[in-house]
Amino acid sequence: MNASETILVVEDDGSIREFVVSVLESEGYAVSEAGSARHGMVQAGALKPSLLILDLGLPDLDGLDFLRDFRAWSAAPVLVLSARTQESQKVAALDAGADDYLTKPFGVPELLARVRALLRRGPAATGEGSPLIEFGEVRIDCAGRRVEKGGELLHLSQIEYRLLLALAGNPGRVLTHRQLLTQVWGGKAAENNQYLRVYVGHLRQKIEADPAKPRHILTEIGLGYRFLP
């Protein structure tokens, strides 16, 4: 039991959320809760939780998209609670950045055991990143899902936004074509490099001062892309 370890529960079903929060608080954890993706991301940005417990069936955004956004700036462990039982759905959640997956209904002992196991990874596993990412004239507010350039709101598609977060959340690292395709489109698109080239081009048009000579999204020939802030 450690009250300094904050757990954020993002679950739209009020009865399940209340039950999970009650169980965790009875074990001495500090717990915050949210019933929607938008509220959950604001809470995550403000609290920087030690552990995120996430339902996938949120009313305003699919849980996988929430997870990808969260992973762009935080390495805190994520436990998915979901009624989705198919293996493909579990694989998709793990590929999107989940650390563990617990199907509903679940028992209290198993829930607590999985929470303890994830928290045992210690401070090195939890994210200390900021939900605000800034480079050049561009400012990404991950909590508000807003991107601005020179103070003006940029209108990005969902795919463009996910791709930007995947890149900007890993500054200096080469992300392979497969890694980006899996993170942004899911495992089924992992071999389609044409998707990636098209959307990288779109993104450069919107964020680079000179898209023909990009400073931020660099091509690593034969490998993938590198983001330089």
Side-chain angles (χ1 to χ4, degrees):
M1 292 188 290
N2 190 341
S4 67
E5 293 175 321
T6 301
I7 299 174
L8 174 61
V9 179
V10 182
E11 163 68 68
D12 71 316
D13 186 313
S15 59
I16 294 177
R17 187 174 69 249
E18 183 178 345
F19 169 71
V20 172
V21 169
S22 175
V23 166
L24 294 172
E25 288 182 338
S26 71
E27 293 294 306
Y29 296 111
V31 186
S32 290
E33 59 184 287
S36 67
R38 184 173 297 278
H39 185 206
M41 192 58 75
V42 171
Q43 288 277 76
L47 297 172
K48 297 184 176 64
S50 304
L51 171 67
L52 170 65
I53 296 179
L54 176 67
D55 175 39
L56 296 182
L58 300 173
D60 53 341
L61 184 70
D62 186 79
L64 293 180
D65 291 335
F66 181 99
L67 184 50
R68 293 184 185 102
D69 291 355
F70 181 72
R71 271 290 168 259
W73 60 271
S74 178
V78 176
L79 171 61
V80 167
L81 298 182
S82 179
R84 302 176 186 178
T85 59
Q86 288 93 335
E87 182 182 27
S88 61
Q89 294 169 329
K90 296 178 183 180
V91 169
L94 294 169
D95 280 344
D99 297 276
D100 200 359
Y101 195 107
L102 183 58
T103 55
K104 302 173 183 177
F106 52 84
V108 169
E110 184 177 11
L111 171 65
L112 291 175
R114 290 173 184 257
V115 166
R116 290 192 298 269
L118 290 172
L119 289 174
R120 272 199 302 271
R121 298 182 181 184
T126 60
E128 295 183 355
S130 169
L132 292 176
I133 301 173
E134 297 181 274
F135 59 94
E137 294 187 318
V138 179
R139 183 178 188 268
I140 308 170
D141 177 1
C142 300
R145 294 177 63 83
R146 289 173 57 90
V147 182
E148 297 176 356
K149 181 180 179 183
E152 298 288 329
L153 182 66
L154 277 181
H155 296 284
L156 302 182
S157 70
Q158 283 284 351
I159 294 294
E160 290 167 349
Y161 180 73
R162 287 185 216 158
L163 180 57
L164 179 59
L165 284 191
L167 290 163
N170 294 277
R173 287 181 54 196
V174 175
L175 296 180
T176 67
H177 298 120
R178 176 179 285 272
Q179 285 174 317
L180 286 168
L181 285 163
T182 298
Q183 286 185 45
V184 178
W185 283 272
K188 292 182 180 179
E191 301 299 333
N192 199 330
N193 292 351
Q194 184 61 27
Y195 281 161
L196 196 52
R197 285 193 290 271
V198 169
Y199 278 95
V200 165
H202 291 171
L203 205 50
R204 282 173 171 161
Q205 290 289 333
K206 293 183 178 182
I207 71 166
E208 297 281 3
D210 182 355
K213 298 178 180 178
R215 295 177 50 204
H216 301 297
I217 302 177
L218 307 184
T219 300
E220 296 290 338
I221 297 174
L223 293 174
Y225 297 91
R226 183 196 306 268
F227 177 82
L228 294 180

